[in-house]
Amino acid sequence: GKGGRKDMKLAIKWFERVTEQNDREAQFLLGVLFLRGKGGERDEERAYDLFRKAARGGHPKAIRMMKLF
């Protein structure tokens, strides 16, 4: 749709703000965006770091993702 990439970059910016507050769901979702390359280039290293933080906080999906790395 209109502004798709711009909207995704804005979403990433907001997710980054929330992840700074140790929101485990936001960390997981932002990790998924980086893993899939949404809003920019794929960044497995950033995705891994975000999944690790969320997993350490007990996020079940992030724990499962860590097993894939």
Side-chain angles (χ1 to χ4, degrees):
K2 289 185 176 180
R5 188 162 295 269
K6 280 186 183 179
D7 291 343
M8 189 58 67
K9 287 188 177 193
L10 182 60
I12 288 171
K13 185 176 181 177
W14 280 107
F15 270 118
E16 287 175 336
R17 286 185 179 178
V18 177
T19 62
E20 291 171 3
Q21 298 170 10
N22 292 320
D23 184 299
R24 304 303 180 209
E25 182 69 10
Q27 289 168 339
F28 171 75
L29 293 173
L30 186 56
V32 170
L33 293 178
F34 282 122
L35 187 63
R36 293 183 177 167
K38 301 290 184 180
E41 289 189 32
R42 189 172 183 199
D43 190 338
E44 290 183 21
E45 189 174 324
R46 283 186 80 183
Y48 174 83
D49 288 340
L50 288 160
F51 291 145
R52 184 177 43 131
K53 286 178 185 178
R56 284 184 178 166
H59 192 283
K61 290 180 184 176
I63 292 168
R64 285 193 295 271
M65 288 300 290
M66 291 300 298
K67 293 177 183 178
L68 300 177
F69 277 91

